mmCIF file of all heavy atoms in Angstrom:
data_model
loop_
_atom_site.group_PDB
_atom_site.id
_atom_site.type_symbol
_atom_site.label_atom_id
_atom_site.label_comp_id
_atom_site.label_asym_id
_atom_site.label_seq_id
_atom_site.Cartn_x
_atom_site.Cartn_y
_atom_site.Cartn_z
ATOM 1 N N GLN A 1657 -12.905 38.350 12.335
ATOM 2 C CA GLN A 1657 -13.301 38.045 10.946
ATOM 3 C C GLN A 1657 -12.741 36.721 10.447
ATOM 4 O O GLN A 1657 -13.401 35.980 9.716
ATOM 5 C CB GLN A 1657 -12.780 39.179 10.051
ATOM 6 C CG GLN A 1657 -13.462 40.542 10.262
ATOM 7 C CD GLN A 1657 -13.005 41.563 9.360
ATOM 8 O OE1 GLN A 1657 -12.260 41.305 8.432
ATOM 9 N NE2 GLN A 1657 -13.366 42.839 9.635
ATOM 10 N N ILE A 1658 -11.534 36.429 10.898
ATOM 11 C CA ILE A 1658 -10.861 35.184 10.368
ATOM 12 C C ILE A 1658 -10.900 33.985 11.365
ATOM 13 O O ILE A 1658 -10.919 32.880 10.918
ATOM 14 C CB ILE A 1658 -9.400 35.504 9.974
ATOM 15 C CG1 ILE A 1658 -9.368 36.587 8.935
ATOM 16 C CG2 ILE A 1658 -8.621 34.292 9.470
ATOM 17 C CD1 ILE A 1658 -8.017 37.023 8.559
ATOM 18 N N GLY A 1659 -10.971 34.366 12.606
ATOM 19 C CA GLY A 1659 -10.984 33.247 13.669
ATOM 20 C C GLY A 1659 -9.669 33.139 14.356
ATOM 21 O O GLY A 1659 -8.594 33.306 13.764
ATOM 22 N N LYS A 1660 -9.773 32.794 15.643
ATOM 23 C CA LYS A 1660 -8.485 32.763 16.429
ATOM 24 C C LYS A 1660 -7.506 31.660 15.977
ATOM 25 O O LYS A 1660 -6.315 31.870 15.931
ATOM 26 C CB LYS A 1660 -8.840 32.508 17.940
ATOM 27 C CG LYS A 1660 -9.535 33.671 18.591
ATOM 28 C CD LYS A 1660 -9.865 33.364 20.064
ATOM 29 C CE LYS A 1660 -10.525 34.527 20.691
ATOM 30 N NZ LYS A 1660 -10.773 34.197 22.192
ATOM 31 N N VAL A 1661 -8.113 30.489 15.572
ATOM 32 C CA VAL A 1661 -7.316 29.398 15.125
ATOM 33 C C VAL A 1661 -6.410 29.754 13.949
ATOM 34 O O VAL A 1661 -5.234 29.527 13.958
ATOM 35 C CB VAL A 1661 -8.172 28.112 14.834
ATOM 36 C CG1 VAL A 1661 -7.288 27.017 14.207
ATOM 37 C CG2 VAL A 1661 -8.863 27.696 16.048
ATOM 38 N N VAL A 1662 -7.009 30.396 12.924
ATOM 39 C CA VAL A 1662 -6.242 30.727 11.696
ATOM 40 C C VAL A 1662 -5.273 31.805 12.014
ATOM 41 O O VAL A 1662 -4.128 31.717 11.480
ATOM 42 C CB VAL A 1662 -7.311 31.210 10.629
ATOM 43 C CG1 VAL A 1662 -6.519 31.595 9.407
ATOM 44 C CG2 VAL A 1662 -8.243 30.079 10.268
ATOM 45 N N VAL A 1663 -5.603 32.819 12.842
ATOM 46 C CA VAL A 1663 -4.658 33.831 13.157
ATOM 47 C C VAL A 1663 -3.398 33.253 13.913
ATOM 48 O O VAL A 1663 -2.265 33.628 13.574
ATOM 49 C CB VAL A 1663 -5.297 34.942 14.028
ATOM 50 C CG1 VAL A 1663 -4.220 35.913 14.505
ATOM 51 C CG2 VAL A 1663 -6.386 35.673 13.285
ATOM 52 N N TRP A 1664 -3.603 32.306 14.859
ATOM 53 C CA TRP A 1664 -2.468 31.819 15.583
ATOM 54 C C TRP A 1664 -1.711 30.796 14.642
ATOM 55 O O TRP A 1664 -0.462 30.731 14.810
ATOM 56 C CB TRP A 1664 -2.939 31.033 16.820
ATOM 57 C CG TRP A 1664 -3.311 31.969 17.923
ATOM 58 C CD1 TRP A 1664 -4.574 32.136 18.449
ATOM 59 C CD2 TRP A 1664 -2.491 32.895 18.585
ATOM 60 N NE1 TRP A 1664 -4.523 33.098 19.446
ATOM 61 C CE2 TRP A 1664 -3.263 33.614 19.519
ATOM 62 C CE3 TRP A 1664 -1.146 33.242 18.445
ATOM 63 C CZ2 TRP A 1664 -2.718 34.540 20.353
ATOM 64 C CZ3 TRP A 1664 -0.545 34.224 19.306
ATOM 65 C CH2 TRP A 1664 -1.410 34.884 20.177
ATOM 66 N N ILE A 1665 -2.377 30.122 13.690
ATOM 67 C CA ILE A 1665 -1.610 29.300 12.717
ATOM 68 C C ILE A 1665 -0.726 30.253 11.920
ATOM 69 O O ILE A 1665 0.434 29.962 11.583
ATOM 70 C CB ILE A 1665 -2.575 28.577 11.853
ATOM 71 C CG1 ILE A 1665 -3.206 27.427 12.642
ATOM 72 C CG2 ILE A 1665 -1.916 27.924 10.620
ATOM 73 C CD1 ILE A 1665 -4.336 26.637 11.864
ATOM 74 N N PHE A 1666 -1.309 31.387 11.442
ATOM 75 C CA PHE A 1666 -0.518 32.395 10.707
ATOM 76 C C PHE A 1666 0.701 32.807 11.552
ATOM 77 O O PHE A 1666 1.797 32.922 10.968
ATOM 78 C CB PHE A 1666 -1.381 33.571 10.371
ATOM 79 C CG PHE A 1666 -0.657 34.827 10.135
ATOM 80 C CD1 PHE A 1666 0.027 34.997 8.868
ATOM 81 C CD2 PHE A 1666 -0.631 35.917 11.011
ATOM 82 C CE1 PHE A 1666 0.684 36.149 8.620
ATOM 83 C CE2 PHE A 1666 0.068 37.029 10.750
ATOM 84 C CZ PHE A 1666 0.803 37.239 9.534
ATOM 85 N N TYR A 1667 0.487 33.075 12.806
ATOM 86 C CA TYR A 1667 1.616 33.563 13.697
ATOM 87 C C TYR A 1667 2.711 32.532 13.776
ATOM 88 O O TYR A 1667 3.875 32.813 13.563
ATOM 89 C CB TYR A 1667 1.048 33.908 15.032
ATOM 90 C CG TYR A 1667 2.173 34.344 16.049
ATOM 91 C CD1 TYR A 1667 2.694 35.620 16.074
ATOM 92 C CD2 TYR A 1667 2.553 33.406 16.983
ATOM 93 C CE1 TYR A 1667 3.638 35.965 16.962
ATOM 94 C CE2 TYR A 1667 3.547 33.772 17.950
ATOM 95 C CZ TYR A 1667 4.040 35.069 17.943
ATOM 96 O OH TYR A 1667 5.027 35.361 18.769
ATOM 97 N N LEU A 1668 2.296 31.320 14.091
ATOM 98 C CA LEU A 1668 3.309 30.231 14.196
ATOM 99 C C LEU A 1668 3.993 29.951 12.885
ATOM 100 O O LEU A 1668 5.172 29.676 12.774
ATOM 101 C CB LEU A 1668 2.594 28.950 14.703
ATOM 102 C CG LEU A 1668 2.103 29.027 16.116
ATOM 103 C CD1 LEU A 1668 1.325 27.744 16.506
ATOM 104 C CD2 LEU A 1668 3.260 29.184 17.107
ATOM 105 N N GLY A 1669 3.217 30.051 11.769
ATOM 106 C CA GLY A 1669 3.783 29.869 10.463
ATOM 107 C C GLY A 1669 4.844 30.878 10.121
ATOM 108 O O GLY A 1669 5.875 30.645 9.542
ATOM 109 N N MET A 1670 4.563 32.159 10.591
ATOM 110 C CA MET A 1670 5.554 33.197 10.318
ATOM 111 C C MET A 1670 6.891 32.973 11.097
ATOM 112 O O MET A 1670 7.927 33.310 10.619
ATOM 113 C CB MET A 1670 4.956 34.525 10.737
ATOM 114 C CG MET A 1670 3.900 35.059 9.704
ATOM 115 S SD MET A 1670 4.408 35.221 8.009
ATOM 116 C CE MET A 1670 5.546 36.641 8.165
ATOM 117 N N LEU A 1671 6.695 32.454 12.357
ATOM 118 C CA LEU A 1671 7.908 32.098 13.174
ATOM 119 C C LEU A 1671 8.703 31.019 12.473
ATOM 120 O O LEU A 1671 9.946 31.084 12.442
ATOM 121 C CB LEU A 1671 7.494 31.677 14.554
ATOM 122 C CG LEU A 1671 6.803 32.715 15.395
ATOM 123 C CD1 LEU A 1671 6.585 32.149 16.821
ATOM 124 C CD2 LEU A 1671 7.621 33.980 15.534
ATOM 125 N N PHE A 1672 8.023 29.981 11.948
ATOM 126 C CA PHE A 1672 8.775 28.925 11.180
ATOM 127 C C PHE A 1672 9.458 29.523 9.978
ATOM 128 O O PHE A 1672 10.514 29.055 9.625
ATOM 129 C CB PHE A 1672 7.790 27.788 10.810
ATOM 130 C CG PHE A 1672 7.537 26.853 11.937
ATOM 131 C CD1 PHE A 1672 6.302 26.733 12.539
ATOM 132 C CD2 PHE A 1672 8.535 26.010 12.359
ATOM 133 C CE1 PHE A 1672 6.029 25.831 13.538
ATOM 134 C CE2 PHE A 1672 8.394 25.112 13.406
ATOM 135 C CZ PHE A 1672 7.092 24.965 14.009
ATOM 136 N N LEU A 1673 8.746 30.410 9.340
ATOM 137 C CA LEU A 1673 9.340 31.058 8.125
ATOM 138 C C LEU A 1673 10.648 31.799 8.497
ATOM 139 O O LEU A 1673 11.693 31.665 7.789
ATOM 140 C CB LEU A 1673 8.412 31.964 7.473
ATOM 141 C CG LEU A 1673 8.867 32.767 6.227
ATOM 142 C CD1 LEU A 1673 9.170 31.831 5.116
ATOM 143 C CD2 LEU A 1673 7.784 33.754 5.752
#
Side-chain angles (χ1 to χ4, degrees):
Q1657 293 179 12
I1658 301 177
K1660 292 182 179 180
V1661 174
V1662 176
V1663 173
W1664 285 117
I1665 289 175
F1666 158 75
Y1667 175 78
L1668 293 173
M1670 290 301 292
L1671 295 186
F1672 277 113
L1673 177 62

